[in-house]
Amino acid sequence: MTQSSVDEMSIVDVPRRVGGRTLDDVLAVVGALLGSLALVWTAYQNLLPTSGLLGFLCCWYAVFLLMYAGVTALRHPRTVVADRVAAAVVHALAGLVGVALLLVIGYTFWRGSDALGHGNFFVSDLSGAGPLDPLNKGGVLHAVVGTLVEMAMAVAITLPLGVACAVFLNEVRGPLTRPVRTVVEAMTALPSIVAGLFIYVTVLVFAGFERSGLAASLAVGVMMLPIIARASEVVLRVVPGGLREASLALGASQWQTVWRVVLPTARPSLATALILGVARGVGETSPVLLTAGYTTYLNADPTHGPMASLPLVTFNLAKSSEAVDQSRAFGAASVLLALVLALFVIARVVAARSGNSKGGRS
Amino acid sequence: MSPGTETIADPVADPVVEHVDEDRPRTVASAAPAADRVFRAVVRASGLLVLLVMGGIGAFLAYQAIPTLRVLGWSFFTEVQWRPEGGRLGIASVGLGTIQVAVVAILIAVPLALSVALYISEYAPRRLRRTLIALLDLMAAVPSVVYGLWGFYFLQPQIIYLARWLSTYLGFLPFFHVDTDVHAATWEQSKYTSSVFICGVVVAMMVLPIVGSVMREVFSHAPQGEREAALALGSTRWGMVRSVVLPFGRGGIIGGTMLGLGRALGETIAVVLIISPAFDLKFRVLERGGNTISELIALRFGESSPFQLSALLAAGLVLFLFTLVINMLAAVVVARSRSGAATEI
């Protein structure tokens, strides 16, 4: 932003870059890296009775930090040494987290590729395939259908209710605003397993309904409702008050203001918040575990009979000791992960579009 | 905000004002149109419905837990075993296990989350920042069953070596002790699997993005002027972080940590997949076996008599109260650390 304003005014006075690295800094890092590698390789691999990749990397990093601090201390005061060491630690730990995330996603898809390679994995259910059948029999179609049906119902319940609740908290207000907000915030702390247990006890045990997709979507809905209500409220809160006042001043009614001004202004970020809430609900296993019932048959009717979903199938197959079932579990997990990634990319695209349009307007 | 409360000065009437004693605002309040009344009624009703549903869950849990607590009394909190057939039900061991998993997870997640937050807000190149934030959000969106699978099939075979190393060299600390001969020629791998420690590491992966994004959010609000002042006074980047960003973000660090703790306490599926259930009071996190409240619910809900179901609901209530108190405290701490004012134009 400062760059563009400088260009516009065509001032010759270009700000000096203060964050740049000198050759000295680069050499200190590279030298410490190589020196510590050589030292640790000699000591750890060849002199001491130690072995193992993990230990090697840890020792290498520890020796690197010491060497880097030492090399920097030759030419710089203590504050600079602390700066360099802190930067090295922050970079290393952040990199470690990135590697861990890559490992989680990569390992799931890698193990899942066995099952995903067979076309039947996507078009048949598991009813005819036992744990000893090869991977070219059976698939997770029933789980995909179950997930889509359950999520559609959960979204149909929670979305209007959650957004209306957010509108109530932020636009209409009333004596109940404070208790509703407190309770909604409190319920975001509800562990998903307790949400599942609640629906299990009320709907299945007391009311006597059978395990079904409907019960599962109720459980997921109970878990998602406070998340969506809260996220939407946060989004509505940042809609500029001036827009509301302008609309009201032009004679619009409150309903028109909310419907034509507030919600459209918040639409992109609202969509992002909702999609992320849905992504959270799709992957949640524990409420489904208690309420949906596990089945290997394709069942598209949410009101009758057990209905499997992707997390539930993954969980059930993962407990098996048969390698084929484990492959299927990773296959189902890959499909689930791909679904979440897709939702996530959609959310990002929506958010990016909102960022652009906002930039254009201002 | 509503039009009725605004004072409206009529510009046309201005010259007249001088002859009148007092400038009285015209009352502009009028009955809301029918559409508005319907709209408000619907919105209020949905707010009320959410209140009833959500409050109903809490009330229902509490109501259902009463018979258990009446029958068992305090022994519900001190009994170690969960044997419904013998009438001995208690959450001492599962409660302790829940706290152990959560504490291990937080101890691992917080330093990593702090580094990630600092890296994104202070060290990363500006053009990478959006991508990194998206990656952090993505990490939070990865389903817990995927983390569980990864922890069981990928992490566990690797991390038992770290567990053995810890117990061999730091075994004199009671919580790192493992009840096996660490110097045996062939070590018992199964002693180190399915432990609280491995669960904690996997749960740490799940809470890390939550903790990290709260911290990053607060760090990014650190006042730019103070940052520049620190740099202009000649401090290094780390000096600036230490004297401006970290003190400013202290509320976010504490609040984010507690938010993560709340999530870690309720985590179910990864724990069910990894840990091998055992009911005993022990503090040896590296050793096989352990239990948490959520795992207890997931394993026992199916075989339940009404009495055991009520006991499970009571355990669920205890878990919920844990997370509730922690989340409330976290919300207070985070809210105090940043200005929550609405943006105005």
Side-chain angles (χ1 to χ4, degrees):
Chain A
M1 200 159 65
T2 52
Q3 195 63 48
S4 68
S5 62
V6 165
D7 287 344
E8 276 165 27
M9 290 186 287
S10 69
I11 295 171
V12 225
D13 191 10
V14 178
R16 187 165 61 98
R17 273 174 53 94
V18 287
R21 289 197 186 84
T22 61
L23 181 64
D24 184 42
D25 297 339
V26 176
L27 285 182
V29 175
V30 175
L33 268 177
L34 292 179
S36 54
L37 175 63
L39 180 62
V40 170
W41 185 75
T42 312
Y44 186 91
Q45 295 286 80
N46 299 336
L47 294 180
L48 298 173
T50 44
S51 64
L53 184 65
L54 192 65
F56 181 79
L57 291 176
C58 291
C59 291
W60 182 16
Y61 185 66
V63 175
F64 160 73
L65 274 188
L66 286 176
M67 267 196 183
Y68 187 41
V71 169
T72 315
L74 290 178
R75 305 197 46 166
H76 294 288
R78 217 163 52 88
T79 47
V80 177
V81 177
D83 176 56
R84 299 288 193 272
V85 171
V89 170
V90 166
H91 278 88
L93 292 185
L96 181 65
V97 173
V99 168
L101 177 62
L102 277 183
L103 276 177
V104 169
I105 294 175
Y107 182 75
T108 306
F109 281 120
W110 177 67
R111 285 287 304 263
S113 60
D114 291 345
L116 295 178
H118 297 84
N120 58 298
F121 194 68
F122 301 98
V123 293
S124 57
D125 59 16
L126 268 182
S127 54
L132 295 175
D133 286 322
L135 279 171
N136 55 23
K137 277 187 76 178
V140 291
L141 180 69
H142 61 308
V144 175
V145 169
T147 292
L148 293 181
V149 170
E150 282 171 14
M151 283 322 291
M153 290 173 60
V155 167
I157 299 169
T158 54
L159 201 85
L161 204 54
V163 174
C165 180
V167 169
F168 169 69
L169 289 178
N170 217 44
E171 306 294 324
V172 175
R173 304 223 173 98
L176 281 177
T177 304
R178 189 173 275 272
V180 171
R181 179 175 291 143
T182 313
V183 167
V184 166
E185 272 183 19
M187 280 296 155
T188 52
L190 185 75
S192 54
I193 185 94
V194 180
L197 187 65
F198 171 74
I199 294 295
Y200 175 76
V201 173
T202 50
V203 176
L204 302 188
V205 177
F206 286 1
F209 291 103
E210 55 179 341
R211 294 186 176 191
S212 63
L214 182 64
S217 40
L218 281 179
V220 175
V222 161
M223 194 211 81
M224 270 167 56
L225 181 58
I227 298 174
I228 286 190
R230 209 173 117 76
S232 324
E233 200 225 333
V234 170
V235 167
L236 290 187
R237 203 186 295 161
V238 297
V239 172
L243 288 182
R244 286 189 197 97
E245 285 164 14
S247 163
L248 291 171
L250 285 170
S253 68
Q254 192 175 21
W255 155 247
Q256 288 167 324
T257 305
V258 169
W259 188 246
R260 309 225 162 169
V261 176
V262 176
L263 288 181
T265 310
R267 193 194 293 137
S269 22
L270 208 54
T272 311
L274 298 178
I275 293 169
L276 291 182
V278 172
R280 176 91 188 280
V282 168
E284 206 55 73
T285 318
S286 30
V288 186
L289 175 69
L290 269 64
T291 49
Y294 180 66
T295 177
T296 55
Y297 285 91
L298 178 63
N299 174 17
D301 178 10
T303 52
H304 293 290
M307 183 184 241
S309 59
L310 281 169
L312 190 59
V313 166
T314 307
F315 176 71
N316 270 294
L317 291 178
K319 290 191 299 187
S320 165
S321 55
E322 293 294 333
V324 176
D325 268 355
Q326 290 174 11
S327 288
R328 287 193 184 118
F330 274 100
S334 306
V335 176
L336 179 63
L337 197 53
L339 191 63
V340 170
L341 285 177
L343 282 173
F344 201 78
V345 169
I346 294 171
R348 282 294 132 191
V349 169
V350 173
R353 197 179 295 157
S354 81
N356 289 343
S357 69
K358 221 181 269 169
R361 222 180 292 151
S362 62
Chain B
M1 190 135 319
S2 79
T5 58
E6 301 287 310
T7 316
I8 296 183
D10 192 353
V12 186
D14 261 349
V16 191
V17 167
E18 287 165 18
H19 305 289
V20 184
D21 296 348
E22 209 181 330
D23 188 10
R24 275 245 187 81
R26 186 164 60 99
T27 47
V28 289
S30 59
D36 254 17
R37 267 177 283 159
V38 173
F39 164 67
R40 280 187 206 161
V42 168
V43 167
R44 286 216 178 96
S46 52
L48 192 66
L49 184 61
V50 170
L51 179 68
L52 287 181
V53 171
M54 295 287 118
I57 295 175
F60 178 81
L61 284 178
Y63 175 71
Q64 286 294 312
I66 288 174
T68 305
L69 296 178
R70 189 172 291 154
V71 172
L72 296 173
W74 280 108
S75 75
F76 182 66
F77 297 100
T78 54
E79 172 61 51
V80 175
Q81 293 298 321
W82 188 274
R83 289 209 190 104
E85 64 277 12
R88 293 176 62 194
L89 294 172
I91 56 165
S93 69
V94 285
L96 186 71
T98 308
I99 294 171
Q100 281 180 3
V101 169
V103 166
V104 170
I106 281 299
L107 285 181
I108 295 169
V110 165
L112 290 173
L114 188 62
S115 302
V116 169
L118 279 180
Y119 178 73
I120 293 178
S121 78
E122 308 299 325
Y123 289 93
R126 198 166 286 271
R127 60 182 187 288
L128 272 184
R129 213 162 277 179
R130 279 180 71 108
T131 317
L132 291 172
I133 294 171
L135 276 180
L136 197 61
D137 288 346
L138 173 66
M139 198 173 172
V142 171
S144 55
V145 69
V146 172
Y147 281 119
L149 278 187
W150 179 77
F152 187 75
Y153 287 104
F154 177 83
L155 187 68
Q156 180 159 288
Q158 318 286 328
I159 208 162
I160 50 173
Y161 293 96
L162 176 64
R164 181 174 73 139
W165 187 85
L166 284 174
S167 74
T168 308
Y169 294 102
L170 300 171
F172 57 88
L173 299 168
F175 44 89
F176 281 154
H177 183 73
V178 173
D179 226 0
T180 178
D181 180 15
V182 289
H183 298 293
T186 53
W187 59 299
E188 282 183 272
Q189 295 206 353
S190 63
K191 265 285 185 194
Y192 295 91
T193 55
S194 305
S195 66
V196 167
F197 171 66
I198 299 172
C199 277
V201 174
V202 175
V203 174
M205 292 281 294
M206 296 179 207
V207 300
L208 193 156
I210 297 160
V211 184
S213 47
V214 172
M215 289 182 183
R216 184 202 62 77
E217 175 94 29
V218 176
F219 289 164
S220 68
H221 285 125
Q224 200 61 33
E226 286 179 35
R227 285 170 198 249
E228 283 166 6
L231 291 174
L233 285 170
S235 82
T236 56
R237 191 187 302 216
W238 173 244
M240 183 270 286
V241 168
R242 227 184 51 174
S243 58
V244 176
V245 177
L246 289 182
F248 181 85
R250 193 188 297 137
I253 297 175
I254 299 171
T257 304
M258 292 170 76
L259 214 57
L261 189 60
R263 267 303 274 287
L265 286 169
E267 191 45 55
T268 312
I269 287 304
V271 180
V272 177
L273 275 174
I274 291 171
I275 218 164
S276 85
F279 290 93
D280 46 1
L281 282 176
K282 68 180 177 82
F283 292 92
R284 303 190 293 271
V285 295
L286 296 178
E287 198 173 288
R288 181 185 186 84
N291 223 327
T292 70
I293 292 179
S294 48
E295 198 212 4
L296 180 77
I297 296 174
L299 291 183
R300 298 297 178 97
F301 75 97
E303 47 175 84
S304 42
S305 62
F307 178 64
Q308 197 191 346
L309 209 53
S310 157
L312 282 179
L313 282 165
L317 178 70
V318 171
L319 177 63
F320 177 44
L321 290 180
F322 267 2
T323 54
L324 182 61
V325 168
I326 288 172
N327 269 32
M328 288 280 179
L329 287 176
V332 169
V333 173
V334 175
R336 201 183 288 167
S337 73
R338 80 168 92 116
S339 68
T343 45
E344 294 290 332
I345 50 171

